[in-house]
Amino acid sequence: MLVIGVESSCDETAVALYDSEQGLVGHLVHSQIDLHAAYGGVVPELASRDHIQRLIPLLRQLLNDSGHTLSQIGGVAYTSGPGLAGALLTGAVYARALAWALEVPALAVHHMEGHLLAPMLESNTPQPPFVCLLVSGGHSQLIRVDAIGAYTFLGDTLDDAAGEAFDKTAKVLGLPYPGGPHLSRLAENGDATAFDLPRPMTDRAGLDFSFSGLKTAVMTTWNRLSQQPMSDAELDKLRADLAASFQAAIVDTLRIKCERALRQEGLDCLVISGGVSANRHLRTSFDEHFSNTTISAGSTGGASTVDVVYPSLEFCTDNAAMIALVGSLRLTAGEQSGSDITVRPRWPLSELCCPGANA
Ligand code: KG4
Ligand code: ZN
């Protein structure tokens, strides 16, 4: 079955074609970064208006580029939550109208299930069971994956998500939107040991996260030190050192909790997905640490090092390939959504574990 994927939950308009037998045929992403940059963050109304203008030409281009026609389409999958209500509606209405016109089934997809399964777009597909660290702008979750749809929640954030902490901290340091990638680039020139920032909630049992205190620690340090007389070069160094120290603290915290989750579950495969999994320091730090870490995994209890799997960079941040993939898996398993067009700006991923909750 050839499945169209449509993603419009926030500030990327994306379409994809996924063949249930052959895998990903192609995908296109239009980023709205330039549109929102002047406002320092996403303006929901502008996002919706732009999605409406982009969706049709983007799909037309994808079909042309891949040499396919609408008559070959067997299903349409689209993100119906979580995300910005207006932005979600543009993709939902477009996808549902398309499915209706083509007389093929449509499927409402949970955006975070897309991120969760994005590593399966690669040739080196991780095989369940594994632990997934889902780190995006709105989520920081540890999930045990036993099969498609068989998810057990191990830990969640009590306040800010990891990406949100990156974005808010970037704002504190005066960096432009989107904060995460800017902060990460700046951190490459900084000294990560310059400031001893907390590794929140690592000194107590459990797998939950809390990042708002870390952001506040950066804010108070920055507000205190940046007021002092200093040259532009010194101010730049302060900013880079704080960025690097913050990044090290958040990555250490994520890594410590991941190791704890793997040991608790007796698993030796770790998947990291969502926008923050694009972070270069995170990848280096996780790879270095886990290549030297052994876990007693499996029924035999034999010790093995941890396999860490990331989606390639193009599938870490928002894209429609991951939505088409989930659509293909669920549509070929016989699922399809009802006739009403609804979106769910707030949609806990935990509901997917209950049969029928995602229809
Ligand atoms: O998955 P995603 O594209 O959208 C959501 O579903 O939220 O994730 C976006 C988040 C933003 O908070 C962004 O700042 C963060 O991922 N992000 C990064 C990096 N690239 C994106 N954070 C740190 N380092 C990066 N390189
Ligand atoms: Zn996302």
Side-chain angles (χ1 to χ4, degrees), residues 136-166:
S136 70
H139 293 75
S140 295
Q141 291 175 330
L142 275 164
I143 300 165
R144 179 188 168 112
V145 177
D146 282 290
I148 313 299
Y151 311 131
T152 309
F153 285 79
L154 306 173
D156 206 341
T157 182
L158 304 181
D159 40 56
D160 292 349
E164 192 179 0
F166 265 98

Side-chain angles (χ1 to χ4, degrees), residues 88-134:
L88 288 166
L89 267 173
T90 65
V93 170
Y94 174 60
R96 295 300 293 269
L98 194 58
W100 181 75
L102 298 174
E103 298 182 6
V104 297
L107 189 87
V109 172
H110 193 297
H111 179 82
M112 299 314 292
E113 188 176 35
H115 279 303
L116 187 71
L117 302 184
M120 294 187 171
L121 289 162
E122 316 287 333
S123 49
N124 177 23
T125 297
Q127 292 303 316
F130 55 77
V131 168
C132 179
L133 172 68
L134 206 50

Side-chain angles (χ1 to χ4, degrees), residues 218-298:
V218 174
M219 189 162 67
T220 44
T221 310
W222 171 253
N223 288 346
R224 183 168 46 86
L225 296 179
S226 62
Q227 301 302 322
Q228 295 173 4
M230 67 177 88
S231 66
D232 284 353
E234 285 168 330
L235 192 65
D236 285 347
K237 177 162 170 37
L238 171 64
R239 192 183 273 115
D241 286 351
L242 256 175
S245 301
F246 164 80
Q247 180 173 260
I250 204 161
V251 167
D252 282 357
T253 306
L254 293 170
R255 203 192 55 239
I256 290 165
K257 297 281 176 159
C258 282
E259 182 171 348
R260 202 177 278 177
L262 290 165
R263 291 194 188 286
Q264 175 186 302
E265 298 301 310
L267 295 176
D268 58 7
C269 181
L270 176 65
V271 169
I272 328 267
S273 55
V276 181
S277 66
N279 185 272
R280 202 182 317 186
H281 172 65
L282 180 147
R283 290 178 174 227
T284 316
S285 164
F286 273 57
D287 287 345
E288 264 173 31
H289 178 80
F290 285 113
S291 60
N292 294 309
T293 302
T294 53
I295 302 271
S296 294

